[in-house]
């Protein structure tokens, strides 16, 4: 902040003095009153454009004790050449708004420093006609109004060089640099401005002063109200256009105006919405196929033989199942009729087809995205945006005190040992939190085991009177699964909130060099944690629950006390489906509350608190100050939310074909909600350059590879599809059955083993009281020899057939899908051929243009010398 040491009168304007020992010597900037132009984007002179706003509290209005504290910390962030103008707040007498303007010379200097590519000549390359041009009359309804959002003129561009300005296409100096470019350069200057020196440590940058409260806010301006059309037809309000053609919910079916988003918010925001839109468009294909599989499951539900056997009173009604816990009662198989009917919707042949389809879909999605991203890189001039061009973060530079040189900087912030210590602490902290998640999962497992006993006892003894209307649909397994899923979701959200702060602290402690390094480091930490946090419960249900349970006479016990959980006779697939539905639905609701209700409520409260002065005319910079700030990691959380959703859609889609449908519906709202939030509820974000989606690309590729294995294993080990196929083709006919044709009849009886109650080593007196008087055996889910067999209670031949079929299925499906993915990745190039040719052509023409322009400039400068030389030689030759 600029220290206000004295105020002097000069030409009826107040000037604020800056200390003389700061860089650039003493400077003065005027303090002026608001000129009653609420939508003005200029200084009071109406000429100099406002490129950035700084907000601080006027010290003269503060309490005495706070004034001394702030004066010790305040320092100038102004560099030589910046022009400033201060205006007091209209609403709050304590606030001061400092308007920052970058003159032409400063813009040229930092455009070269930041390697900003600017036009040198209009692009005369004829674009390839679209394949959809014949359907323009139909497709135009799905695009923004071209009369309002006109197509940008394309130019050949080159990195700006201050000493070669004549080479660039400069028609109007005021419009040559876009407002987004100006804001980006202003933010860069402010982030580099030094404000304190302590020994070898230099302190500089607006971020530190914002964090310590010296500044209240720093932001670029919106170009007008989102719901009021600009009065100047030649310069329409881009914010108004974005709201009407993008953020308005009525346009949910339209494509996004990506070029305008990029122009207004920068490439980083543009590439996020481009990826989100492309992902949503590809989800539409997966959603249609998934919905078809769901409808197929509904139709096949009526013909599901094994489900009918469970519900048949003469089959399932006569099968007495063994207790699933030490205090549980005997129960009849057809009590799970409702569950088996629901399970048949998801556990069918259509699920297998859909799982294979999704494995191919995810490959096509990633490959086509790379191609689309390459097109955006060309159109948005980020093809040559290299990481080494990115400047170091101010936090990094401020701590560079060691002389040891590396290939990038002359100094480093810590020694090699110090770096190893920081990285080790970071890794150790992440591992600790991951183990904490695993501990919470174990706790939830213990809860499931303990509560299952309670539900079994209460439901069997009719003790839950309040559940009478839905009692026939509630089973101990379902009640346990639903409550455990809800508790798991709550634990997930709590751990997310806590770990988020820890991950940011660890990343700040590691001190990455550039913002890209910082975001990539934080991305990996957060995703590893989120991966374990969100998916661990699903992995437990899919691959652990019901797999190691033993048999009633010799059950496997956890902690020596609780019997391992068993699945329903139809398998654990329906529980996995329930878990996915609850987590996906709960996460979507929670995110919408955070993204919609919280910003709206905060802005509403702010307006209510200042309602006494609403009749006053409020300037644009103060209107924006009332909006919610977007953190520097705002897009990080948007990416994280969508990538977690991508994992649910791909990793466990074999258990829930409707996952793409839910994701599609959520994303259609997500795009408009994010657009609404950016456009109406938030301050304008500082534009940043970005070439791609960064570290999220390899994460998506890793999820795609893992998805093939998880879906194959879900079908093999979680669903009952493989055991049913083995029974149908092998054990439903001779020599294992008397049937002459392959059939599914008798599968339920074949999949349930027999246990002799007298063989139990436990005291079953209390439990036996609930059993029929003539009951001597009960059934349990497994493939084992019956009592009295020489190998009683050992796995029978059907078990080994099923196990072999499961392993064979995983190997075959994985190899086929991975081979297909490899072929598709090889056949589909990452960069379209047309884009490659256009890039080469543009590079060549740009080189020629710059060379010709430089040659003309040299010729023009040498012409007077040559003329003088010719005149001089001619004079001496004539004399």
């Amino acid at each position: 902040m600029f220290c206000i040491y004295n105020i002097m009168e000069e030409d009826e304007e107040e000037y604020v003095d800056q200390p003389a020992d700061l860089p650039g010597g003493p400077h003065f900037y005027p303090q002026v009153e608001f000129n009653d132009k609420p939508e003005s984007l200029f200084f009071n002179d109406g000429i100099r454009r406002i490129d950035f706003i700084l907000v601080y509290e006027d010290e003269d209005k503060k309490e005495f004790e706070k004034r001394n504290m702030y004066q010790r910390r305040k320092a100038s962030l102004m560099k030589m050449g910046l022009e400033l103008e201060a205006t007091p707040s209209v609403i709050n007498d304590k606030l001061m708004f400092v308007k920052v303007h970058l003159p032409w010379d400063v813009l040229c200097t930092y455009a070269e420093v930041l390697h900003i590519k600017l036009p040198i000549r209009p692009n005369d390359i004829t674009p390839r006609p679209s394949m959809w041009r014949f359907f323009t009359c139909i497709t135009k309804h799905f695009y923004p109004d071209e009369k309002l959002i006109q197509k940008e003129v394309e130019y050949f561009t080159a990195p700006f060089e201050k000493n070669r300005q004549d080479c660039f296409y400069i028609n109007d100096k005021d419009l040559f640099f876009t407002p987004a470019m100006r804001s980006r350069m202003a933010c860069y200057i402010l982030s580099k401005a030094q404000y304190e020196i302590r020994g070898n440590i230099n302190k500089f940058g607006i971020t530190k002063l914002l964090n310590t409260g010296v500044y209240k806010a720093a932001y670029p301006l919106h170009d007008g109200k989102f719901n009021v059309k600009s009065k100047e037809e030649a310069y329409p309000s881009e914010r108004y256009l974005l709201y009407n053609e993008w953020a308005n919910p009525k346009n949910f079916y339209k494509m996004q105006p990506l070029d305008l988003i990029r122009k207004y918010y920068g490439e980083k925001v543009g590439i996020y919405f481009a990826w989100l839109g492309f992902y949503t468009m590809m989800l539409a294909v997966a959603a249609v196929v998934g919905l078809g599989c769901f409808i197929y499951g509904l139709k096949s539900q009526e013909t599901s033989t094994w489900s009918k056997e469970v519900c048949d009173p003469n089959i399932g009604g006569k099968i007495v199942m063994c207790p699933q816990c030490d205090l549980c009662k005997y129960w009849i198989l057809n009590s799970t009729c409702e569950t088996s009917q629901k399970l048949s919707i998801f556990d069918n042949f259509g699920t297998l087809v859909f799982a294979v389809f999704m494995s191919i879909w995810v490959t096509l999605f990633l490959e086509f995205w790379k191609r689309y991203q390459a097109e955006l890189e060309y159109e948005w001039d980020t093809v040559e945006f290299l990481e080494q061009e990115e400047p170091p973060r101010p936090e990094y530079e401020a701590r560079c005190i060691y002389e040891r040189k590396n290939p990038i900087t002359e100094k480093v912030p810590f020694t090699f040992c110090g770096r190893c210590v920081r990285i080790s602490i970071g890794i150790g902290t992440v591992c600790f939190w991951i183990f904490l998640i695993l501990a919470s999962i174990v706790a939830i497992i213990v809860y499931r085991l303990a509560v299952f006993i309670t539900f079994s006892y209460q439901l069997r003894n009719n003790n839950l009177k309040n559940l009478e209307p839905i009692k026939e649909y509630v089973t101990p397994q379902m009640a346990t699964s639903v409550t455990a899923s809800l508790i798991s979701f709550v634990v997930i959200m709590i751990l997310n909130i806590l770990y988020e702060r820890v991950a940011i602290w660890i990343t700040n402690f590691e001190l990455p060099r550039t913002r890209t390094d910082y975001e990539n480091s934080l991305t990996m930490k957060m995703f590893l944690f989120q991966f374990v946090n969100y998916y661990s419960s699903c992995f437990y249900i899919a691959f652990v629950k019901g797999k190691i349970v033993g048999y009633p006479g010799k059950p496997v016990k956890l902690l020596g006390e609780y019997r391992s959980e068993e699945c329903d006779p139809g398998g654990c697939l329906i529980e996995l489906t329930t878990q996915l539905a609850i987590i996906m639905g709960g996460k979507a609701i929670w995110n919408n509350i955070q993204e919609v209700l919280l910003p709206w409520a905060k802005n509403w409260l702010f307006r209510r608190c200042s309602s006494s002065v609403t009749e006053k005319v409020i300037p644009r910079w103060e209107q924006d100050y009332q909006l919610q700030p977007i953190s520097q990691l705002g897009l990080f959380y948007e990416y994280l939310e969508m990538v977690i959703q991508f994992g649910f859609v791909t990793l466990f889609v074999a258990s829930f074909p409707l996952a793409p449908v839910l994701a599609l519906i959520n994303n259609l709202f997500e795009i408009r909600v994010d657009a609404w939030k950016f456009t109406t509820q938030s301050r304008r974000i500082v534009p940043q350059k970005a070439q791609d989606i960064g570290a999220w690309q390899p994460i998506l590729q890793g999820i795609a590879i893992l998805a093939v294995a998880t879906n194959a294993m879900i079908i093999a080990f979680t669903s009952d599809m493989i055991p049913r196929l083995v029974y149908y083709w092998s054990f439903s006919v001779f020599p294992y059955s008397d049937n002459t044709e392959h059939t599914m009849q008798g599968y339920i009886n074949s999949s349930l083993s027999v246990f002799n109650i007298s063989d139990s080593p436990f005291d079953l007196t209390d439990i036996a009281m609930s059993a029929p008087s003539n009951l001597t055996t009960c059934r349990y889910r497994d493939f084992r020899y019956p009592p009295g067999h020489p190998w009683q209670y050992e796995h029978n031949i059907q078990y080994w057939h099923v196990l072999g079929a499961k392993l064979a299925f995983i190997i075959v499906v994985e190899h086929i899908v991975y081979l297909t993915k490899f072929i598709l990745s090889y056949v589909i190039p990452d960069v379209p051929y047309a884009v490659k040719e256009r890039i080469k052509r543009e590079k060549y023409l740009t080189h020629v243009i710059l060379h010709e322009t430089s040659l003309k400039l040299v010729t023009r400068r040498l012409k007077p010398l040559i003329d003088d030389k010719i005149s001089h030689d001619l004079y001496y030759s004539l004399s």
Side-chain angles (χ1 to χ4, degrees):
M1 186 183 296
F2 302 91
C3 298
I4 305 177
Y5 288 90
N6 55 64
I7 300 178
M8 55 184 68
E9 298 291 335
E10 180 175 328
D11 297 333
E12 299 182 354
E13 285 186 330
E14 294 180 338
Y15 284 82
V16 183
D17 188 14
Q18 175 186 322
D21 59 341
L22 292 174
H27 298 278
F28 304 94
Y29 63 90
Q31 178 175 321
V32 300
E33 295 297 327
F34 171 49
N35 60 3
D36 292 330
K37 296 180 179 180
E39 298 305 319
S40 175
L41 303 176
F42 297 87
F43 281 21
N44 275 16
D45 58 17
I47 299 174
R48 292 172 293 175
R49 186 182 185 90
I50 301 173
D51 297 319
F52 220 79
I53 291 292
L54 301 174
V55 186
Y56 69 94
E57 289 189 7
D58 191 349
E59 287 134 340
D60 292 338
K61 307 294 191 302
K62 289 181 182 176
E63 298 85 352
F64 178 78
E65 60 273 10
K66 289 186 177 180
R67 187 187 313 167
N68 293 333
M69 178 187 67
Y70 274 82
Q71 285 182 350
R72 290 194 301 267
R73 295 300 308 273
K74 290 176 183 175
S76 174
L77 291 176
M78 183 172 66
K79 294 290 186 178
M80 178 67 74
L82 284 182
E83 297 178 2
L84 309 172
E85 184 178 81
T87 301
S89 169
V90 174
I91 299 176
N92 188 345
D93 294 338
K94 294 183 180 180
L95 292 181
M96 291 288 294
F97 292 86
V98 178
K99 294 168 278 188
V100 181
H101 171 75
L102 276 63
W104 173 258
D105 188 61
V106 176
L107 288 171
C108 293
T109 299
Y110 284 95
E112 184 173 359
V113 170
L114 295 176
H115 304 275
I116 296 178
K117 299 182 76 173
L118 291 161
I120 55 177
R121 198 180 76 180
N123 190 336
D124 55 2
I125 300 178
T126 304
R128 178 177 293 183
S130 173
M131 61 180 294
W132 304 105
R133 63 187 183 278
F134 301 110
F135 305 96
T136 305
C137 59
I138 299 176
T139 58
K140 68 179 182 180
H141 298 292
F142 297 93
Y143 285 86
D145 191 344
E146 295 182 357
K147 295 179 181 179
L148 297 176
I149 303 179
Q150 299 178 357
K151 186 175 179 61
E152 295 286 331
V153 179
E154 294 188 6
Y155 294 92
F156 292 120
T157 60
F160 187 80
E161 296 181 30
K162 187 175 181 180
N163 59 353
R164 300 175 71 179
Q165 293 184 35
D166 294 339
C167 299
F168 290 86
Y169 192 75
I170 306 176
N171 282 337
D172 187 344
K173 288 185 177 181
D174 292 333
L175 301 177
F176 183 64
F177 295 101
T178 65
M181 293 178 184
R182 300 173 72 102
S183 299
R184 180 184 167 206
M185 287 185 273
C187 184
Y188 178 79
I189 295 171
L190 294 173
S191 68
K192 296 291 183 180
Q194 181 176 293
Y195 66 87
E196 188 176 351
I197 300 177
R198 288 187 179 180
N200 294 329
I201 299 178
N202 297 327
K203 293 188 176 183
F204 50 83
I206 188 67
T207 304
K208 183 67 174 179
L209 295 178
L210 286 170
N211 293 337
T212 55
V214 177
Y215 276 106
K216 304 293 291 183
Y219 53 89
L221 288 179
H222 282 296
D223 65 354
K225 292 184 177 180
F226 69 87
N227 55 355
V228 177
K229 188 175 182 180
S230 175
K231 296 180 180 179
E232 300 181 17
E233 295 293 337
Y235 303 102
S237 170
E238 293 177 351
R239 187 187 185 193
Y240 173 80
L241 294 177
L242 286 171
Y243 174 74
N244 280 276
E245 296 296 319
W246 178 45
N248 199 314
K250 68 180 182 180
N251 297 318
F252 74 95
Y253 62 92
K254 288 187 177 182
M255 303 294 287
Q256 302 179 85
L258 294 176
D259 289 335
L260 185 59
I261 297 171
R262 171 249 182 175
K263 181 182 177 182
Y264 192 75
Y265 290 113
E267 287 79 6
K268 193 168 187 178
V269 174
I271 201 72
Y272 163 73
F273 281 103
W275 176 82
L276 180 56
F278 187 82
Y279 169 48
T280 304
M281 184 174 63
M282 291 292 290
L283 269 178
V285 180
V288 170
V289 179
L291 188 60
C293 290
F294 179 75
I295 294 173
Y296 171 80
L298 288 175
K299 296 294 184 181
S300 63
Q301 181 182 16
E302 301 174 357
T303 58
S304 176
T305 303
W306 64 271
S307 178
K308 289 182 177 180
E309 288 187 348
V310 172
C311 299
D312 191 339
N314 295 322
I315 301 177
K318 294 183 178 180
I319 296 179
V320 179
M321 301 297 293
C322 298
Q324 292 184 314
C325 62
D326 294 343
L327 299 179
C328 297
K329 306 291 185 180
Y330 292 94
W331 52 287
I332 306 301
L333 178 61
N334 68 354
S335 64
T336 61
C337 176
E338 293 289 336
T339 303
S340 65
Q341 289 178 343
K342 295 174 183 176
L343 180 62
S344 64
I345 299 175
F346 301 101
D347 193 0
N348 52 65
F349 182 73
T351 302
L352 170 60
V353 175
F354 185 59
V356 174
F357 166 80
M358 287 299 294
S359 300
I360 306 300
W361 174 88
V362 71
T363 303
L364 293 175
F365 163 66
L366 293 176
E367 293 303 318
F368 286 135
W369 163 247
K370 291 178 186 177
R371 291 171 61 85
Y372 184 49
Q373 184 174 255
E375 294 179 9
L376 293 177
E377 289 175 14
Y378 169 75
E379 294 175 2
W380 293 354
D381 291 326
T382 60
V383 174
E384 297 178 355
F385 177 68
L386 303 178
E387 184 178 343
Q388 57 263 33
E389 294 179 355
E390 187 177 6
R393 295 189 308 133
E395 296 85 351
Y396 180 89
E397 287 187 308
R399 294 179 177 272
C400 289
I401 59 176
Y402 295 98
E403 295 294 336
R404 185 179 64 85
K405 296 183 179 180
N406 64 12
I408 300 176
T409 59
E410 294 183 356
K411 293 183 179 181
V412 292
F414 33 68
T415 62
F416 177 77
C417 293
R419 180 175 178 81
C420 291
V421 170
R422 289 171 180 264
I423 294 176
S424 299
I425 292 175
I427 294 175
T429 306
V430 173
C431 292
F432 167 78
W433 277 85
I434 289 177
F435 284 125
L436 184 62
I437 297 173
L438 297 178
S440 69
I441 297 301
V442 173
I444 292 175
I445 293 174
V446 173
Y447 164 84
R448 297 173 70 105
L449 297 175
V451 169
F452 179 77
I453 298 174
T454 304
F455 276 125
S456 298
Y457 179 80
Q458 297 291 342
L459 289 174
R460 303 306 177 195
N461 289 280
N462 298 320
N463 290 336
L464 299 179
K465 304 293 185 181
N466 296 331
L467 295 179
E468 198 62 39
I470 59 173
K471 183 178 179 181
E472 60 177 311
Y473 304 104
V474 177
T475 63
Q477 293 89 347
M478 178 182 293
T480 302
S481 177
V482 172
T483 56
S485 297
L486 291 173
I487 294 175
S488 177
F489 172 74
V490 173
V491 171
I492 285 172
M493 301 312 298
I494 293 175
L495 290 177
N496 276 348
I497 295 173
L498 296 177
Y499 179 76
E500 176 185 318
R501 300 181 180 181
V502 174
I504 294 175
W505 177 83
I506 295 171
T507 309
N508 291 335
F509 180 73
E510 291 177 354
L511 207 61
R513 178 179 179 271
T514 64
R515 173 151 294 279
T516 300
D517 294 337
Y518 181 90
E519 291 182 354
N520 290 346
S521 177
L522 183 61
T523 296
M524 295 307 299
K525 291 183 182 67
M526 286 295 292
F527 180 75
L528 282 175
F529 177 84
Q530 299 276 14
F531 184 89
V532 178
N533 199 15
Y534 276 108
Y535 302 143
S536 55
S537 58
C538 296
F539 274 101
Y540 165 75
I541 294 174
F543 307 123
V544 178
K545 182 180 178 182
K547 304 302 183 291
I548 308 174
V549 296
Y551 61 95
K554 190 178 181 181
V556 176
K557 292 197 173 186
L558 180 65
L559 304 178
E561 182 177 355
Y562 299 105
R563 282 177 57 173
S564 295
E565 280 191 285
E566 297 183 29
C567 297
D568 277 333
C572 286
L573 195 68
I574 192 64
E575 292 190 42
L576 181 59
T577 303
T578 304
Q579 180 83 357
L580 285 171
I582 289 177
I583 293 181
M584 285 189 69
K587 188 172 181 295
I589 295 172
W590 176 257
N591 289 333
N592 285 328
I593 291 175
Q594 284 186 313
E595 295 183 6
V596 179
L597 293 183
L598 289 183
W600 178 83
K602 289 179 180 179
N603 290 335
W604 181 80
L605 287 174
F606 193 96
R607 289 192 298 268
R608 293 285 294 179
C609 294
S610 58
S611 60
S612 59
V613 292
T614 51
E615 64 275 4
K616 293 184 179 180
V617 178
I618 302 176
R620 165 52 41 204
W621 49 85
E622 199 153 357
Q623 294 177 44
D624 285 3
Y625 179 69
Q626 296 176 2
L627 300 177
Q628 295 301 305
I630 296 181
S631 69
Q632 295 179 344
L633 298 175
L635 284 181
F636 168 81
Y637 297 113
E638 303 294 344
Y639 274 117
L640 182 62
E641 176 188 348
M642 288 295 101
V643 171
I644 293 296
Q645 182 204 86
F646 179 81
F648 282 122
V649 169
T650 54
L651 291 175
F652 306 101
V653 74
S655 66
F656 193 33
L658 289 179
V661 178
L662 297 181
L664 175 63
I665 296 172
N666 176 78
N667 287 8
L668 289 175
F669 283 99
E670 181 74 20
I671 292 175
R672 305 304 162 179
V673 165
D674 286 346
W676 174 81
K677 181 178 65 177
F678 272 86
T679 309
T680 67
Q681 302 299 309
S682 304
R683 297 171 191 163
R684 188 171 180 177
I685 193 172
V686 177
Q688 295 181 13
K689 200 82 169 177
Q691 185 177 16
D692 49 36
I693 61 176
W696 299 109
Q697 184 76 29
I699 288 176
L700 292 174
Q701 292 174 338
I703 292 176
I705 294 173
L706 181 61
V708 178
T710 55
N711 284 300
M713 293 176 68
I714 285 173
I715 293 174
F717 293 108
T718 309
S719 78
D720 243 19
M721 186 176 301
I722 301 301
R724 289 200 298 268
L725 290 175
V726 170
Y727 174 81
Y728 181 82
W729 292 107
S730 299
F731 289 86
S732 64
V733 294
F734 184 82
Y736 302 103
S737 176
D738 297 333
N739 298 321
T740 57
E741 296 181 355
H742 298 285
T743 180
M744 282 300 298
Q745 293 181 357
Y747 169 73
I748 291 298
N749 185 64
S750 173
S751 64
L752 299 176
S753 299
V754 179
F755 177 72
N756 194 332
I757 297 176
S758 62
D759 292 336
S760 176
F762 308 106
D763 183 10
L764 300 179
T765 304
D766 294 337
I767 299 176
M769 293 176 63
S770 66
S773 57
N774 58 347
L775 181 66
T776 58
T777 61
C778 61
R779 309 296 291 273
Y780 61 98
R781 176 184 165 83
D782 208 342
F783 298 104
R784 294 178 183 269
Y785 288 112
H789 193 279
W791 295 330
Q792 67 174 1
Y793 304 133
E794 297 291 332
H795 288 118
N796 58 22
I797 190 171
Q798 188 173 354
Y799 170 84
W800 299 110
H801 274 73
V802 170
L803 180 61
K806 289 180 176 180
L807 297 177
F809 172 82
I810 292 174
I811 294 172
V812 172
V813 169
E814 283 189 353
H815 280 70
I816 292 176
V817 174
Y818 280 135
L819 178 62
T820 306
K821 288 168 67 70
F822 173 77
I823 294 174
L824 290 174
S825 300
Y826 179 79
V827 170
I828 302 174
D830 293 346
V831 182
Y833 176 79
V835 174
K836 287 182 179 179
E837 293 301 312
R838 292 171 70 185
I839 292 174
K840 292 178 182 178
R841 176 67 175 165
E842 181 171 336
K843 284 184 177 180
Y844 169 75
L845 292 177
T846 301
H847 178 75
V848 170
I849 292 169
L850 292 176
H851 177 72
E852 290 178 352
T853 306
S854 300
L855 188 61
K856 290 178 181 178
L857 181 62
V858 171
T859 303
R860 187 167 62 249
R861 291 177 177 176
L862 291 178
K863 190 176 186 303
L865 298 176
I866 295 174
D867 292 343
D868 290 343
K869 178 66 174 175
I870 293 174
S871 300
H872 186 270
D873 292 344
L874 182 61
Y875 172 77
Y876 278 102
S877 64
L878 292 176
S879 61

